[in-house]
Amino acid sequence: MSETNPKYVELLKAAKEAAQRAYAPYSKFPVGAALLGDDGRVFSGCNVENASYGATRCAEQTAVQKAVSEGCRKFVAVAVHCSETDDCWPCGICRQVLNEFAPEIDVIVDAGNGSVTVIRLPELLTRSFCPKDLPS
Ligand code: THU
């Protein structure tokens, strides 16, 4: 769904700024993410690559790790941006990481013309595996 919710447009702006801080010398694919906590705080993140490629962290994961380590575990929305492509949706692992804390989160990407595309996580990660699937 395309919309112009000012809060979400602002969140995408924070993701764009975060992408400028990406460390992506190998892929040359700089990604930024901005996560809106339910307490109103915004946590941004960028991808941080590594010469040992498997040690690379995606932008969304950086943002989640920053938020959780600052005491925020509930999220309303996440914006994702990459200057290399119009539609930069979270990868499968990032969808799973978001699902751990915010299974109903709104995922936001650029739709152009100052508007954003918003899709809720259950649509991007159907029949997900989540904490409640584990035996207690
Ligand atoms: N990347 C992200 O930061 N988020 C995603 O959801 C997709 C992929 C990064 C990882 C790697 O640094 C680069 O994009 C190319 O895969």
Side-chain angles (χ1 to χ4, degrees):
M1 181 193 6
S2 177
E3 56 170 270
T4 53
N5 178 337
K7 204 154 199 176
Y8 284 5
V9 172
E10 195 60 30
L11 204 60
L12 190 63
K13 198 170 153 230
K16 285 180 185 171
E17 283 166 11
Q20 289 171 11
R21 298 187 287 273
Y23 176 69
Y26 308 108
S27 70
K28 312 228 183 310
F29 194 82
V31 184
L35 195 55
L36 176 62
D38 75 338
D39 58 4
R41 283 190 286 171
V42 172
F43 300 90
S44 64
C46 59
N47 50 338
V48 182
E49 297 187 345
N50 193 282
S52 175
Y53 297 166
T56 290
R57 277 292 155 272
C58 286
E60 300 90 322
Q61 293 171 47
T62 304
V64 168
Q65 290 183 357
K66 281 175 68 178
V68 172
S69 59
E70 292 299 323
C72 185
R73 292 184 183 176
K74 287 187 178 158
F75 310 119
V76 177
V78 62
V80 185
H81 173 79
C82 176
S83 49
E84 300 302 306
T85 174
D86 286 343
D87 277 337
C88 184
W89 294 96
C91 75
I93 296 173
C94 288
R95 293 174 195 201
Q96 182 69 27
V97 169
L98 291 166
N99 192 53
E100 180 77 14
F101 297 100
E104 303 297 328
I105 196 170
D106 279 342
V107 182
I108 299 158
V109 303
D110 206 344
N113 305 324
S115 66
V116 296
T117 302
V118 184
I119 297 185
R120 285 176 70 230
L121 187 59
E123 223 182 300
L124 299 174
L125 188 71
T126 55
R127 299 190 186 199
S128 70
F129 185 77
C130 56
K132 68 174 167 36
D133 292 318
L134 290 170
S136 48

